[in-house]
């Protein structure tokens, strides 16, 4: 097997052909996929057929699977989270721009999602490069942001709304605990050494040492800036497709444009380190 890599846009995303992820991957292919993930931020595969055990097996080549705090995993697979939208539901899980669970002290380094059941049309996911977003800022604003840290919370109202159905039918008892973490506004990627903007509209509440009101103006600017169309690519899912993204330097936005249809993905997140 030889990897064939086709970039999706100038800043982010590539499609990888020539790999059957259900078969044991030789070290050479694992290294090639890891390189592509680091270069493109998100890699896509088509026509895969992975059981939850096989998905975990692939993921184990790249990191250690983690549990999601709010929703139970599949029976027997606590680290494989079903991402489901049912025909009668109005909101979709995580349906806004975000990086996954940045309210944790160590947010996941990557997320691996496998499409199981899709609507006939719609349900695409947008991805944005936080390297491109950072690099497009003025030197003055880069300087201002360089010393800042921000509070990330699991409980902003808009993102809480997107979990409501799943917490109703398969939620975990988090015992009313508040999940919150403070991270640098600009993080240095531990593998590439590049700087990435690390605030996001779903979870970032305020700058450390400032009030929510004081922070709002600049944060709102950053939330709009970082998801500018020129920093993005758009992935149209197909049955069996896989999206594997680097959560340290990208954001994603699953569109909610398939009312009346069911959509099921299987998601695994891989443990990350403390952002610096
Ligand atoms: Co997400």
């Amino acid at each position: 097997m030889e990897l064939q890599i086709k970039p999706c846009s100038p800043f982010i995303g590539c499609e990888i052909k020539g790999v059957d992820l259900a078969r044991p991957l030789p070290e050479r292919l694992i290294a090639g996929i890891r390189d592509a993930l680091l270069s493109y931020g998100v890699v896509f595969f088509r026509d895969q057929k992975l059981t939850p055990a096989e998905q975990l097996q692939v993921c184990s080549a790249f990191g250690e699977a983690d549990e999601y705090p709010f929703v139970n995993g599949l029976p027997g697979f606590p680290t494989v989270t079903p991402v489901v939208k049912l025909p009668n539901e109005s909101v979709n899980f995580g349906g806004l721009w975000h990086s996954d669970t940045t309210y944790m002290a160590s947010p996941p380094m990557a997320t691996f999602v496998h499409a199981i059941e899709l609507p006939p049309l719609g349900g695409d996911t947008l991805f944005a490069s936080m390297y491109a977003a950072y690099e497009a800022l003025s030197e003055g604003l880069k300087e201002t942001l360089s010393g800042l840290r921000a509070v990330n919370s699991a409980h902003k109202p808009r993102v809480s709304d997107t979990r409501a159905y799943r917490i109703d039918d398969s939620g975990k008892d988090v015992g009313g605990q508040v999940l919150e973490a403070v991270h640098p506004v600009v993080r240095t990627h531990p593998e590439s050494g590049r700087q990435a903007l690390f605030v996001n509209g779903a979870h970032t509440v305020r700058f450390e040492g400032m009030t929510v009101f004081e922070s709002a103006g600049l944060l709102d600017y950053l939330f709009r800036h970082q998801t500018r169309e020129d920093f993005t690519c758009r992935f149209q899912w197909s049955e069996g497709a896989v999206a594997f993204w680097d959560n340290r330097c990208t954001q994603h936005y699953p569109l909610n444009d398939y009312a009346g249809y069911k959509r099921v993905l299987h998601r695994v997140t891989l443990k990350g380190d403390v952002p610096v």
Side-chain angles (χ1 to χ4, degrees):
M1 291 192 287
E2 275 303 324
L3 290 183
Q4 299 152 41
I5 293 175
K6 186 170 167 267
C8 304
S9 79
F11 293 121
I12 185 167
C14 74
E15 194 158 328
I16 298 182
K17 291 200 165 96
V19 188
D20 178 358
L21 296 173
R23 290 167 55 182
L25 294 175
E27 199 52 50
R28 184 177 52 84
L29 285 191
I30 292 168
I33 295 168
R34 182 176 276 279
D35 282 351
L37 184 66
L38 283 175
S39 301
Y40 294 95
V42 53
V43 299
F44 306 110
F45 302 86
R46 298 280 178 191
D47 304 320
Q48 305 293 321
K49 203 169 172 56
L50 301 171
T51 64
E54 286 166 340
Q55 184 171 346
L56 284 174
Q57 177 65 32
V58 182
C59 288
S60 71
F62 300 96
E64 188 186 344
D66 207 356
E67 280 189 43
Y68 178 66
F70 290 103
V71 177
N72 281 312
L74 294 172
F77 298 96
T79 54
V80 183
T81 306
V83 174
V84 178
K85 182 171 183 272
L86 298 175
N88 60 317
E89 295 176 349
S90 53
V91 296
N92 63 329
F93 184 78
L96 69 176
W97 277 109
H98 66 283
S99 176
D100 287 329
T101 63
T102 60
Y103 46 80
M104 310 295 281
S106 304
M109 69 121 171
T111 303
F112 184 113
V113 173
H114 182 35
I116 305 298
E117 186 176 341
L118 296 171
L121 197 61
D124 296 358
T125 302
L126 308 181
F127 294 87
S129 167
M130 292 304 105
Y131 292 142
Y134 175 74
E135 285 159 15
L137 296 172
S138 65
E139 291 308 313
L141 187 48
K142 284 180 187 165
E143 178 86 4
T144 300
L145 297 179
S146 68
L148 292 178
R149 294 162 63 79
V151 177
N152 292 263
S153 164
H155 309 285
K156 282 182 92 171
R158 276 190 64 212
V159 73
S160 299
D161 284 349
T162 76
R163 297 186 204 109
Y165 291 115
R166 294 292 75 75
I167 287 181
D168 284 350
D169 73 11
S170 46
K172 286 183 191 171
D173 183 8
V174 293
Q177 63 174 317
V178 174
L179 294 172
E180 213 172 81
V182 180
H183 296 306
V185 169
V186 178
R187 76 180 290 185
T188 303
H189 193 289
E191 293 179 79
S192 71
R194 294 174 70 187
Q195 291 187 290
L197 199 50
F198 199 60
V199 292
N200 70 90
H203 303 312
T204 308
V205 178
R206 62 183 175 84
F207 296 110
E208 186 181 41
M210 299 187 205
T211 65
V212 171
F213 194 33
E214 287 169 335
S215 308
L218 182 49
L219 277 181
D220 282 345
Y221 169 75
L222 293 174
F223 298 155
R224 271 184 289 123
H225 165 80
Q226 68 189 170
T227 56
R228 246 169 56 182
E229 288 83 349
D230 17 355
F231 308 143
T232 69
C233 72
R234 177 171 180 147
F235 185 58
Q236 187 168 30
W237 294 87
S238 51
E239 205 171 300
V242 165
F244 182 27
W245 62 83
D246 187 332
N247 202 48
R248 302 166 291 190
C249 57
T250 66
Q251 287 190 37
H252 52 283
Y253 176 18
L255 298 179
N256 183 17
D257 55 358
Y258 50 98
Y261 292 100
K262 187 178 177 187
R263 182 174 179 271
V264 181
L265 310 172
H266 288 172
R267 176 178 104 154
V268 173
T269 56
L270 300 179
K271 285 184 183 168
D273 41 25
V274 176
V276 289

